Amino acid sequence: MDKNEDQYYIEAVRKGNIQAFSFLVEKYQKLIYTLALKLLKRPEDAEEMAQDTFIKAFQKLDMYEGKSKFSTWLYSITYNACISELRKRRIEFKSLEDQRITEQDEMKMHDYYRETKKEDQEKYLNLALGKLPEDDQILVTLYYYENQSMDEISEITGLTVSNIKVKIHRARKKMYSLLHEMLNEEIYSLL
Amino acid sequence: MNKLDKQFEDMMKGIRIDSPSSDFTLKVMSRIQAEAAVAKRPILADYQPVISKKTWIILISGFVLLMIFISVSGNDAAPASNSGFWSSVAQSMNAFKTSQSSIMQKGAGIFSSVPQIAYLIVLASLALWTLDGFLGKFSHRSSGIHIK
């Protein structure tokens, strides 16, 4: 349904109804902006990059064959443009060291997290996510938030599926570890 | 997706996603409208060749005729003779050889006497002609998306 809806508007744009493109801009702007922001950090750069992504998508709309989801195609444009921008700035992603957290620790951490206040949950989660390397933030957002499959993420980022699996697994553990540190700090500050 | 993944996904769904400025769609759409307007009316849409094809044909013909006239006008006429078929053939061959060497000499003479600026003019004209043809090819090309 979602793909058909996108396809309907894409066809409308191709037939000359440019205004139909605003539906696609409206629908995907938040996630495109979020991805750009996670990689570029500065809101003004992210906004410009998000705009450029939509302009590029409009210009190349005839090249979109519909084999993958429109969102996947859009995310790959954003990701590649951001990576080229970062290369220009000579910024490299930090790597993530393995976290020694067991599955039981993850379960306990999750229960602990659930007990914290809703507004704090969001705050800590955003802080923890922000501490991950930029490319891992993208993988986590696409996989857990945007429900993109491993294959789709592979199409967007150019990484292999096995590499994505490993990176997501490590990123999840790292996030739990960061949440653990932050929530412990909060408990100590209360005591 | 295993239990831990599912649990993490539930957690991640709780985060609020970042939003661009409130007039983001408007900004993008105005850039797209501008883009589409340019695509509809390419810069070269009204391009007319500086020198038309007809003028080029006239100029080239004139140049060729001038060259022929210069090389032929200086030729000494072959002496007339009525001493049979073979001698007339020999005379014709001789006349041809003479005219050939005369043309070459004259040609060399003409080219050596032509000032360098004339070569530059010819080269510039050829460059202009090539550019003319190249731009002409793009004059009516537009983008894949057409505005109603």
Side-chain angles (χ1 to χ4, degrees):
Chain A
M1 179 65 197
D2 200 41
K3 199 178 172 184
N4 288 341
E5 192 181 43
D6 286 353
Q7 202 54 45
Y8 170 80
Y9 286 99
I10 289 164
E11 284 309 317
V13 177
R14 281 176 177 160
K15 283 176 188 162
N17 179 8
I18 291 178
Q19 214 46 47
F21 197 74
S22 65
F23 169 83
L24 300 166
V25 176
E26 202 68 55
K27 185 175 175 183
Y28 293 110
Q29 60 176 270
K30 283 189 179 177
L31 211 85
I32 296 290
Y33 174 75
T34 302
L35 293 186
L37 187 62
K38 292 207 182 309
L39 287 165
L40 303 177
K41 305 290 180 206
R42 287 208 299 259
E44 56 271 31
D45 290 348
E47 172 121 0
E48 202 182 322
M49 184 59 76
Q51 280 187 30
D52 290 348
T53 298
F54 284 110
I55 305 293
K56 217 176 273 179
F58 174 78
Q59 288 168 336
K60 293 183 175 179
L61 203 58
D62 281 337
M63 286 162 73
Y64 170 64
E65 293 169 344
K67 284 177 188 166
S68 56
K69 285 197 279 186
F70 184 67
S71 57
T72 307
W73 187 66
L74 267 184
Y75 300 154
S76 68
I77 295 176
T78 316
Y79 184 82
N80 289 320
C82 288
I83 296 295
S84 334
E85 181 59 33
L86 291 173
R87 277 193 192 133
K88 267 189 232 163
R89 295 186 200 171
R90 295 167 191 267
I91 293 172
E92 284 179 13
F93 299 135
K94 343 170 249 230
S95 62
L96 203 59
E97 69 278 15
D98 264 327
Q99 297 296 306
R100 288 179 185 172
I101 290 181
T102 63
E103 291 195 352
Q104 277 95 354
D105 288 338
E106 281 192 56
M107 297 287 262
K108 265 190 231 167
M109 193 56 233
H110 185 75
D111 295 336
Y112 191 28
Y113 172 83
R114 281 276 166 233
E115 284 165 19
T116 56
K117 283 187 269 173
K118 190 86 182 157
E119 57 266 34
D120 288 343
Q121 284 181 3
E122 198 184 327
K123 184 180 83 183
Y124 291 129
L125 204 55
N126 270 320
L127 280 171
L129 187 63
K131 287 191 176 179
L132 292 180
E134 292 82 352
D135 55 340
D136 289 347
Q137 289 182 42
I138 297 290
L139 299 183
V140 167
T141 309
L142 287 174
Y143 187 66
Y144 291 110
Y145 189 86
E146 187 49 25
N147 286 343
Q148 294 270 320
S149 69
M150 296 273 183
D151 288 326
E152 285 165 341
I153 297 174
S154 167
E155 206 180 315
I156 294 166
T157 58
L159 299 169
T160 60
V161 171
S162 54
N163 195 1
I164 292 166
K165 264 185 201 169
V166 172
K167 275 174 157 285
I168 286 178
H169 182 76
R170 281 186 187 169
R172 197 184 69 205
K173 281 186 179 293
K174 176 74 183 175
M175 272 191 74
Y176 272 126
S177 155
L178 289 165
L179 283 171
H180 181 71
E181 282 170 26
M182 283 187 264
L183 292 174
N184 269 351
E185 273 174 28
E186 194 197 53
I187 290 164
Y188 285 128
S189 68
L190 286 172
L191 292 173
Chain B
M1 200 180 262
N2 63 29
K3 196 185 169 189
L4 286 168
D5 269 333
K6 188 84 198 109
Q7 179 178 286
F8 192 76
E9 185 190 279
D10 292 341
M11 212 163 83
M12 282 295 293
K13 294 278 183 199
I15 60 166
R16 212 174 301 149
I17 203 159
D18 299 295
S19 296
S21 58
S22 53
D23 58 348
F24 182 84
T25 308
L26 200 70
K27 281 182 195 164
V28 172
M29 289 314 291
S30 57
R31 276 181 69 181
I32 283 175
Q33 293 284 0
E35 190 82 19
V38 171
K40 188 190 176 189
R41 189 179 177 78
I43 299 163
L44 298 170
D46 298 328
Y47 177 75
Q48 291 292 323
V50 180
I51 302 168
S52 68
K53 264 187 189 170
K54 217 183 223 177
T55 317
W56 273 115
I57 291 168
I58 293 167
L59 281 175
I60 292 167
S61 310
F63 181 74
V64 169
L65 284 172
L66 185 71
M67 293 300 284
I68 292 169
F69 175 76
I70 291 168
S71 49
V72 172
S73 64
N75 259 359
D76 295 326
S81 170
N82 295 323
S83 51
F85 174 75
W86 291 113
S87 86
S88 71
V89 169
Q91 275 176 9
S92 304
M93 289 289 285
N94 204 24
F96 176 73
K97 276 181 191 169
T98 317
S99 71
Q100 204 179 9
S101 64
S102 163
I103 288 169
M104 291 195 48
Q105 278 170 3
K106 286 208 181 264
I110 289 164
F111 287 116
S112 63
S113 63
V114 174
Q116 279 190 334
I117 191 76
Y119 289 116
L120 287 174
I121 290 168
V122 172
L123 272 174
S125 305
L126 283 172
L128 183 67
W129 193 17
T130 314
L131 184 70
D132 213 31
F134 180 74
L135 292 177
K137 275 185 187 174
F138 289 94
S139 61
H140 300 293
R141 195 174 280 184
S142 60
S143 86
I145 295 163
H146 305 282
I147 314 164
K148 269 181 185 170

